[in-house]
């Protein structure tokens, strides 16, 4: 058991009197207050000793000393505070000076947008899947029901890899993330509900709206009884979550080899709310991406009976959404990684 | 595809305004990208009549005209055109008018006479090349022979010029998807409008007034490649006079993006835009014996097309030839040797159906394309050849005064057969979540030109157990090559029913989202990125396509994957390392004025491995500049190698990498100093990354002339090793005792050796060892250094006594002396 010096408060009183002599500014007063009356100050520590004293008389004695000293210290410090109050008002610290900061990093805007999109889909019950960027013609075109004559297969549209011994040009850089859907459907049986985000490649010369390397997210849902109305429901809900509850979606007939019936999805312009402006070229709509019911040929190709199961798929470009969201007009900025650009999204 | 609003109305009577029509077309899948107003370029130009015309006093050629421009007064206008005459109907630019090209018409005075306006030439109006004389308009205006409502066009003096012969128009720029070759014409688009709105489709007139002379007596057609050319129809028109087409035709062609040339060629283009079926006109005299032979080209056969390009052909190319020579690259372009010339008098018209695949190959391999090949590639209507050739012959007769010979030579070795497809209405409604009656479906399909026959059916067993009440037996029309399967018809029904009438499901049975390994990896990656962001780095995302010079400038020893058909040398291969792109990004930012670089990237890198392209994730970062931002408070010191190592240590701890150690040999060529980050010990040790200062020779090559720090880690290994779950250690209950020790050791001895000895001999009471000072200089021999450590001792069971601690400290001092020759530095 620790011994308690009953003269402790007398000692503290002497010490405080000594300390007061050294006080010469409001800052010193504050230091003194913290030292004696602060949350971790000497008084607070002294109060913890109460429980160690067993003799009731000793406790009483100690308690009296405690409260007397507390009163003394409080009055001394209040006096000093009053004395230095004026000085505090003309404190020499200029808080209008900029503060000291450390480097702060940040995620790339495309990552931020992608994460937001993934979050929304996760909330709707989708699982994230990924796949290779160097793909085969089979996964990128054949299995996706792309006709042999389709121009997307041309050397002018798609990057092929120069693999020694591969004279048939069997390897390419995926032009969309749909090959992931094929790989998943080969591996799993319905119900399947996935999104596939990732990098894709097309042989477009870089300019303000084109980039040979870009990012996509595609969604796929295959199960019994999946309908076009389900597609519409999910797409509408997704864009409302992304762009706000007042966002309208429009479905226009279109052609994609992978889906039939196919639809291009437009959303009501975020800037003019459908009135027509420069961004939407006066139409009131912004083109967002393709969608449709998975073509029966695609399902058959992966051994899923299209008479039993049906599904839908849809895709969208991350850069396009990031450009709309942040008001960026040149897609190349995303891949230049100029720190002055990146800093704006910290 | 450009589609004219007025032209479209010749095929179908619709009531929609241009804006409404655009909306309708978009809704059925013909997306209207833009609407252009034709005629708007002539603001202030009206139709006027020259009332009188006299020489301007003192001028040899200027005339003073009195013009009625519908303004209620006679306008005096001075005009220099030689062909001006009283009574003419002319285009008059009123004062204030602005002509194409920006010329503003104002009042002016010539030789003391006021001129109030301008009588325009074709060139001034931007509708032709003729600048010699004014454009004399016909009265009444000539109506296009195709125009069913021709005479009704309102026309009066003072009317805006664009209303004259119906030049006021709207042109839609329509995005036609690749499967809808049938919509690449006014007829095709009109058919869609008709199907969507109701009014019937009307075909333009073809009154040929054939003469007795027979086409068959002058022309023979032999098809040697019937699978490439299933049909070839030919007709003759003789006695034509080649010259410019009338204004209405020139303007129509121009409005849909075709440059008018001369009447016969213009007619074939006109019919192409109208009906979607390409035609070719030969000068009959240049086709030897009037004999057309359709054959494949010989290997290496040479041929010069109309555009004066010479092509070397192969056997995949199809030619139209006569017995002596090729005369056209079939379906793509005619030959220079047989086209219509200024003195052509007999025209041989070709209207054929070519196999799309063959045309596509030729067009791709010869790098040549035309309005014709564009349509043949997408599939034209094989049943349209007769009508198209007749229509062209009719227009040529109208425009050139030629005579149409009797009959058509029609060689049709492989006749088209309609496809028969069964459509199950229940299936349609099941996929679309609709409730469309079978009769409604047949209505849509009939409107599109399909034959339909509803058969009440014994329920065929469909997998989803839909009970089908009927089956619709559909035969497809000759222009819809894209209708092959039941699902294609489902789309047609959905399209005409309207996508917007299909419901929006707001509930859905959701299979549980499975937390796969990929999901876990994704969360780990988020953690890596988050840790680096906390350390003050910005995420970069660079192209994965890089220049070939990267592997020389940044030698990482990996075999790159090369592109067969790169866009440019700058993007000719896949990156093997993230370093070069990060260095380039750093250079860009420095050049732009950023003093401090802190960038990282998480992304895929590629390499050849066993003859295959292999890919995997990497994490890398580049740092240059100061350790913290410089400010008015303090000028920050430059980032150094210890900062780099500290960053790696902090990163390792933030992403929960266990048992990290560092080795300082085998560092890559591109690093000047640095180390490898390893996990585990002994045989189980795995190198997962590298860090250090770049060789100045390497960073220099990327334009960076300041010290650059770099780190790189293998993504796959990180994903396998990081993210260990921390194991809780009970918080200490007894106080720690601190002792400081300062050793003097040989300069060559590394700090980790001393620390290792301290830890080993400090015993189990030694809780922590922390270096707090490294000193060289006064009081220390030149080949020595002093290292000072805080040693923390603690027991989990008791408060330690001084003697216990002294004992441990003594053991440490003794061992350091014995094993490393370390001396205790006197205080
Ligand atoms: Zn807008």
């Amino acid at each position: 058991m620790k011994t308690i010096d009953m003269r402790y408060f007398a000692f503290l009183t002497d010490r405080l009197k000594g300390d007061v002599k050294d006080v010469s500014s409001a800052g010193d007063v504050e230091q003194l207050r913290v030292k004696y009356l602060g949350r971790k100050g000497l008084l607070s520590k002294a109060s913890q000793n109460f429980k160690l004293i067993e003799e009731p008389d000793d406790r009483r004695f100690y308690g009296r000393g405690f409260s007397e000293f507390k009163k003394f210290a409080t009055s001394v410090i209040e006096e000093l505070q009053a004395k230095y109050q004026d000085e505090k008002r003309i404190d020499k610290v200029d808080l209008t000076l900029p503060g000291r900061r450390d480097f702060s990093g940040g995620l790339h805007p495309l990552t931020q947008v992608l994460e937001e999109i993934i979050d929304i889909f996760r909330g709707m019950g989708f699982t994230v899947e990924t796949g290779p960027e160097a793909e085969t013609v089979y996964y990128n075109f054949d299995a996706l029901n792309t006709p042999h004559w389709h121009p997307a297969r041309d050397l002018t549209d798609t990057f092929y890899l120069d693999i020694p011994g591969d004279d048939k040009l069997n390897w390419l850089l995926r032009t969309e993330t749909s090959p992931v859907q094929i790989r998943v459907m080969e591996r799993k049986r319905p119900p399947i509900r996935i999104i596939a985000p990732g990098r894709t490649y097309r042989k477009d010369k870089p300019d303000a709206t084109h980039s040979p390397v870009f990012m996509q997210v595609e969604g796929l849902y295959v199960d019994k009884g999946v309908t076009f109305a389900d597609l519409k429901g999910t797409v509408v809900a997704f864009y409302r979550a992304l762009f706000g509850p007042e966002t309208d979606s429009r479905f226009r007939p279109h052609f994609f080899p992978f889906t039939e019936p196919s639809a291009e999805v437009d959303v009501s312009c975020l800037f003019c709310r459908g009135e027509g402006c420069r961004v939407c070229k006066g139409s009131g709509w912004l083109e967002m991406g393709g969608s449709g019911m998975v073509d029966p040929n695609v399902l058959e190709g992966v051994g899923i009976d299209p008479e039993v199961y049906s599904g839908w798929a849809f895709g969208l470009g991350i850069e396009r959404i990031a450009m709309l969201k942040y008001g960026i007009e040149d897609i190349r900025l995303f891949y230049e990684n100029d720190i002055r650009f990146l800093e704006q999204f910290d | 595809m450009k589609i004219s609003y007025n032209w479209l109305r010749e095929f179908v009577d619709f009531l929609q305004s241009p804006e409404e029509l655009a909306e309708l077309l978009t809704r059925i899948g013909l997306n209207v990208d833009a609407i252009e107003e034709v005629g708007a370029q002539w603001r202030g130009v009206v139709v006027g009549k020259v009332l009188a015309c006299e020489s301007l006093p003192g001028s040899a050629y200027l005339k003073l005209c009195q013009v009625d421009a519908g303004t209620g007064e006679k306008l005096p206008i001075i005009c220099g055109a030689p062909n001006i005459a009283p009574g003419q109907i002319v285009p008059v630019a009123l004062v204030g008018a602005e002509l194409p090209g920006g010329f503003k018409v104002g009042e002016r005075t010539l030789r003391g006479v006021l001129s109030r306006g301008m009588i325009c030439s074709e060139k001034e109006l931007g509708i032709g090349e003729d600048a010699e004389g004014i454009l004399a308009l016909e009265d009444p205006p000539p109506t296009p022979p195709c125009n069913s409502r021709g005479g009704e066009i309102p026309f009066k003096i003072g009317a805006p010029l664009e209303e004259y012969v119906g030049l006021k128009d709207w042109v839609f720029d329509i995005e036609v998807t690749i499967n809808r070759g049938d919509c690449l014409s006014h007829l095709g688009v009109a058919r869609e409008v008709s199907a969507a709105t109701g009014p019937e489709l009307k075909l333009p007139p073809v009154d040929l007034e054939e003469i007795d002379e027979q086409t068959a007596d002058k022309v023979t057609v032999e098809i040697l490649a019937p699978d490439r050319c299933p049909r070839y129809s030919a007709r003759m028109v003789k006695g034509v006079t080649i010259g410019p087409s009338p204004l209405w035709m020139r303007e129509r062609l121009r409005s849909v993006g075709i440059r008018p040339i001369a009447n016969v060629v213009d007619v074939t283009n006109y019919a192409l835009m109208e009906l979607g079926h390409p035609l070719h006109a030969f000068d009959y005299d240049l086709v030897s014996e009037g004999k057309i032979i359709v054959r494949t080209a010989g290997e290496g056969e040479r041929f010069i097309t109309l555009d004066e390009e010479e092509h070397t052909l192969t056997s995949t190319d199809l030619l139209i030839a006569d017995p002596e020579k090729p005369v056209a690259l079939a379906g793509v372009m005619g030959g220079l040797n047989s086209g219509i010339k200024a003195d052509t008098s007999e025209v041989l018209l070709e209207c054929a159906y070519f196999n799309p695949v063959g045309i596509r190959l030729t067009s791709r391999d010869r790098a040549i394309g035309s309005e014709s090949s564009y349509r043949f590639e997408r599939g034209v209507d094989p049943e349209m050849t007769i009508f198209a050739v007749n229509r062209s012959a009719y227009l040529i007769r109208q425009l050139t005064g030629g005579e149409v010979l009797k009959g058509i030579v029609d060689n049709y070795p492989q006749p088209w057969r309609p496809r028969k497809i069964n459509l199950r209405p229940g299936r349609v409604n099941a996929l679309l979540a609709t409730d469309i009656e079978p009769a409604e479906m047949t209505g849509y399909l009939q409107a599109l030109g399909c034959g339909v026959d509803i058969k009440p059916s014994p329920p065929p067993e469909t997998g989803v157990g839909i009970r089908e009440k009927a089956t619709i037996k559909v035969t497809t029309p000759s222009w819809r090559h894209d209708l092959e399967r039941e699902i294609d018809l489902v789309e047609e029904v959905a399209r005409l029913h309207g996508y917007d009438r299909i419901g929006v499901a707001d509930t859905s049975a959701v299979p549980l989202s499975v937390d796969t390994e990929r999901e876990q990896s994704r969360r780990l990656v988020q953690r890596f990125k988050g840790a680096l962001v906390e350390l003050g780095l910005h995420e970069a995302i660079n192209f994965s396509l890089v220049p070939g010079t990267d592997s020389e400038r940044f030698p990482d020893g990996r075999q790159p994957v090369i592109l067969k058909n790169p866009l440019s040398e700058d993007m000719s291969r896949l990156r093997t390392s993230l370093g070069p792109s990060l260095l380039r990004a750093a250079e860009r930012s420095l050049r732009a004025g950023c003093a401090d670089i802190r960038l990282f990237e998480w992304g895929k890198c590629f390499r050849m491995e066993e003859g295959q392209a292999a890919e995997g994730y990497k994490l890398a970062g580049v740092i240059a500049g100061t350790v913290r931002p410089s400010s008015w408070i303090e000028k920050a010191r430059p980032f150094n190698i210890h900062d780099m190592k500290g960053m790696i240590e902090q990163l390792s701890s933030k992403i929960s990498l266990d048992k990290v150690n560092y080795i300082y040999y085998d560092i890559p060529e591109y690093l000047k100093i640095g180390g490898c980050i390893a996990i585990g010990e002994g045989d189980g040790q795995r190198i997962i990354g590298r860090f250090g200062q770049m060789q100045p020779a390497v960073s220099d090559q990327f334009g960076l002339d300041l010290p650059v720090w770099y780190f790189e880690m293998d993504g796959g290994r990180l994903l396998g090793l990081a993210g260990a779950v921390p194991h809780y250690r009970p918080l200490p209950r007894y106080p720690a005792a601190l002792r400081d020790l300062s050793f003097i050791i040989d300069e060559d001895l590394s700090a980790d050796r001393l620390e290792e000895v301290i830890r080993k001999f400090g015993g189990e009471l030694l809780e922590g060892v922390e270096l707090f000072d490294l000193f060289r200089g006064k009081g220390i021999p030149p080949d020595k250094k002093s290292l000072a450590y805080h040693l923390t001792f603690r027991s989990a069971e008791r408060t330690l006594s001084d003697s216990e601690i002294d004992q441990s400290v003594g053991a440490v001092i003794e061992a350091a002396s014995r094993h490393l020759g370390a001396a205790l530095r006197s205080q």
Side-chain angles (χ1 to χ4, degrees), chain B residues 352-414:
Chain B
Y353 175 69
F354 298 111
N355 183 318
V357 177
I359 302 297
R360 207 169 293 127
L361 284 176
T362 293
S363 167
R364 193 190 68 188
D365 295 346
R366 304 296 144 248
I368 178 174
S370 63
E371 293 283 348
S372 297
S373 66
Y374 187 74
R375 286 169 179 78
F376 279 125
E377 282 175 21
R378 284 157 176 76
V380 302
D381 181 359
E383 295 286 288
M384 172 59 81
T385 61
I386 302 293
F387 186 81
V389 82
N390 284 344
R391 172 72 175 151
S392 304
Y394 164 77
L395 288 172
I396 291 173
R397 184 174 72 82
Q398 296 275 317
L399 264 53
T400 69
E403 295 176 309
V404 182
L405 274 64
K406 193 180 283 298
I408 296 173
V409 174
D410 182 27
N411 203 336
Y412 198 0
Q414 290 188 359

Side-chain angles (χ1 to χ4, degrees), chain A residues 106 108 111 115 128 133-134 149 155 158 160 162 199 201 221 228 232 260 262 295 307 337 339 346, chain B residues 360 424 431 485 488 491 499 502 509 519 526 537-539 541-542 544 562 564-565 589 615 628:
Chain A
H108 195 282
T111 299
E115 291 297 337
V128 177
E133 291 170 26
W149 48 262
L155 284 154
T158 295
Y160 286 84
D162 193 355
R199 280 188 192 220
Y201 302 80
Y221 179 27
F228 201 99
K232 286 182 71 174
E260 183 149 13
S262 298
D295 195 289
E307 288 291 313
N337 299 300
I339 292 177
D346 286 356
Chain B
R360 207 169 293 127
R424 294 164 293 173
L431 279 173
R485 300 167 298 153
D488 301 323
E491 181 170 67
Y499 280 12
I502 297 173
E519 280 288 347
Q526 283 178 326
L537 276 71
H538 276 107
E539 185 191 14
I541 297 182
N542 286 295
S544 23
I562 295 168
K564 188 84 186 171
N565 56 333
S589 289
E615 59 190 76
R628 56 183 316 151

Side-chain angles (χ1 to χ4, degrees), chain A residues 269-282 284-286:
Chain A
C269 180
L270 319 174
F271 302 94
C272 62
R273 289 291 159 208
E275 295 290 310
C277 68
R278 192 176 61 89
V279 181
C280 59
K281 295 188 194 114
W285 295 99
L286 297 169

